[in-house]
Amino acid sequence: MNRPWTLAGSVAGAVVVALDGTVLTVAQPRLQRELHASFAEVQWTSTAYLVAVASLLVFAGRLGDRYGQRRVFGLGMLGFGAASAAVALAPGVGWVIGLRAVQGVFGALLQPATLGMLRAAYPPDRLASPLAVRTAAIGLAAAAGPLLGGALVTGLGWRAVFLVNVPAALAFGLPALLRPGRRPAPARAPLDLPGAVLLAVTLACLVYALTARPVSGAGLAVAVLTAAVLVRHERRTASPLLPPEVIGSRSAGAALGILVAVSASLFGTLFLATYVLQRHLGLDPFDSALCSLPLAVLMVASAALSPALLRRYGARATTAGATAALTLGVLLPARTTSLPGLGCGFALLGAGFGTVMVAATQVIVRRAEVTTAGVAGGLQQTALNIGPAMGVAAAAALLGAGTGPALLALAAVAALALPAARALPGPAAAEPDPHIPDEPVPAGAPARR
């Protein structure tokens, strides 16, 4: 497999998805005004995408494992670009919402494949560097997205932000489909379609419940019920959607839990920081974005340093230190509202999250066989969709008590990742072979998260 192209394609796919989310936020007020949409309808332009993508990520990863990561990546890129172009031509907000859901389906195909391709192209002990490049690119996209979106909306209108995805989709999607690489050996086990449906319903209801305002109790109840049925089904089926060698790994389960906790804390804090910057300090949106730039800068820098930290200290110590830094970054805005103090808090958030992203993702993807790398990537992406939804929901619910107590609660969520980090591997010299299951969960017992 062509490693430079694989890395470039993985980065392009991750950046396209990251840019899409950030530029849409900037475009929504103009979209609402021009399409005469209600606030609830504008919210659904984001919710429809989130529900679709979160519900299908793991099954899409399984499709990549079965039919080839590069082939599924190409289909996801081209479909994502086509749906984006269609949104730019949509005549009404109903069309935008429906096409955003379609975009989410192709985004679900695209995202796990960006990690599955890296696992297939690089040996396990060399994964940290390409993952660091990918994470740094996401940080740059997060920083550039609001600025790019603001320039496009101001100069060309809200429809222009959706056309940004099209060139990259064509540039990387077409070569991936025209030269899809070696196809995996035919799988004898059938696809677990009942498991895929149960997982999709569980995640769709969970994401909808968390993004609804107020939080939907009925959605949470359905998610819990279908999750229980899913666990029962996966334990009994001969070909489970969630392979035991992936979810049965103690370190992979801990890494997934860490990603949920730190992403929930980060995005909940960013939600609250908007109120601190714009309502308490009176900053306009542009000045607020400038104040938060240290987050993106340190996220990029920390991702670049992560491979060296992992080689020297291992995932356990690296993740624990980064989580402590992120927790301190959450606490600072609770103690000070000065711009230097807030800037320092944003810097700690970026440094902590960038490092955790590389370290935890490496653990999840490295410990998966190439034949299950897509499912591992789907689980990683699912954690990074569920965590932010949980964090923003918690922050919104606690906002009435004041930003201080809400930030303390989010810091406690981040701190939950500290004991979980003990389950991660130590330095490379003491690390077990990634192809030998580490402390597998006994049959019939749930994986530790």
Side-chain angles (χ1 to χ4, degrees), residues 27 30 34 149 151-162:
R30 180 76 66 87
E34 292 187 8
L152 289 173
V153 172
T154 301
L156 300 173
W158 67 267
R159 297 177 187 273
V161 302
F162 290 100

Side-chain angles (χ1 to χ4, degrees), residues 174-340:
L174 284 175
L177 283 184
L178 293 175
R179 299 184 63 185
R182 184 179 300 173
R183 183 168 179 168
R188 296 179 181 178
L191 288 172
D192 181 16
L193 294 179
V197 171
L198 287 168
L199 182 61
V201 172
T202 300
L203 294 174
C205 290
L206 178 60
V207 171
Y208 167 73
L210 294 173
T211 53
R213 296 290 179 268
V215 172
S216 171
L220 289 175
V222 174
V224 170
L225 176 62
T226 53
V229 177
L230 173 65
V231 171
R232 180 182 177 86
H233 168 78
E234 290 293 287
R235 286 177 173 174
R236 296 187 171 195
T237 186
S239 56
L241 173 68
L242 303 172
E245 61 268 25
V246 176
I247 62 170
S249 165
R250 181 168 176 258
S251 58
L256 288 168
I258 288 167
L259 284 177
V260 171
V262 298
S263 62
S265 183
L266 172 68
F267 282 85
T269 301
L270 294 179
F271 176 84
L272 294 172
T274 302
Y275 287 86
V276 173
L277 292 171
Q278 296 187 22
R279 293 191 178 182
H280 294 181
L281 300 182
L283 301 182
D284 61 31
F286 183 76
D287 288 336
S288 298
L290 289 178
C291 186
S292 65
L293 271 181
L295 187 152
V297 173
L298 267 293
M299 182 174 171
V300 173
S302 63
L305 291 173
S306 292
L309 293 174
L310 288 168
R311 284 192 299 270
R312 183 174 181 86
Y313 301 108
R316 184 187 307 133
T318 299
T319 303
T323 300
L326 186 142
T327 304
L328 182 58
V330 177
L331 288 172
L332 271 178
R335 300 297 181 185
T336 179
T337 56
S338 68
L339 287 179

Side-chain angles (χ1 to χ4, degrees), residues 124-125 127-128 131 310 315 357-367:
D125 59 350
L127 266 176
L131 289 174
L310 288 168
M357 269 274 286
V358 176
T361 302
Q362 187 212 30
V363 170
I364 296 165
V365 179
R366 175 178 180 172
R367 303 201 74 81

